Amino acid sequence: MVPLWWHIALGVVLFVIGAAGVLLRRNILVVLMSLELLLNSVNINFIAFGRYFGDSRGQIFAIFVIAITAAEVAIALGILVALVRNKSTLKVDDLTMMKG
């Protein structure tokens, strides 16, 4: 059996990589993928603690987070496609103005 701290360490590493991607990258697709990495690191910790304590609520909450994340990605990609059609760029700095 894998010890709990391995799961926590993996979650922390993924969370740090995701946070660095959100804060440092300027491509909006990379920022979106980094957000997914952040949420997946949280899911790893939910499942690990749920398994450690013998409780299934962590797995249920992780499935809920995955469903919400899928909806968030679908909406974000729709907005992103509309922005790219209008602005022809994926840089976050160029997409800060939301004029009609």
Side-chain angles (χ1 to χ4, degrees), residues 10-95:
L10 177 65
V12 167
V13 168
L14 289 177
F15 191 85
V16 168
I17 292 171
V22 168
L23 295 175
L24 299 177
R25 299 301 299 254
R26 294 291 157 223
N27 188 328
I28 198 161
L29 278 176
V30 175
V31 171
L32 192 61
M33 288 189 293
S34 297
L35 283 173
E36 297 302 318
L37 205 55
L38 286 172
L39 292 172
N40 282 330
S41 69
V42 172
N43 284 339
I44 287 172
N45 284 330
F46 276 141
I47 292 171
F49 279 107
R51 182 175 168 91
Y52 181 74
F53 291 115
D55 192 3
S56 63
R57 285 184 283 183
Q59 294 172 353
I60 293 169
F61 204 70
I63 291 171
F64 180 73
V65 170
I66 289 169
I68 296 298
T69 302
E72 174 249 334
V73 166
I75 292 170
L77 287 177
I79 292 171
L80 188 65
V81 167
L83 283 173
V84 168
R85 284 184 182 168
N86 290 331
K87 301 281 184 176
S88 299
T89 184
L90 289 176
K91 293 183 180 180
V92 174
D93 296 332
D94 297 338
L95 300 176

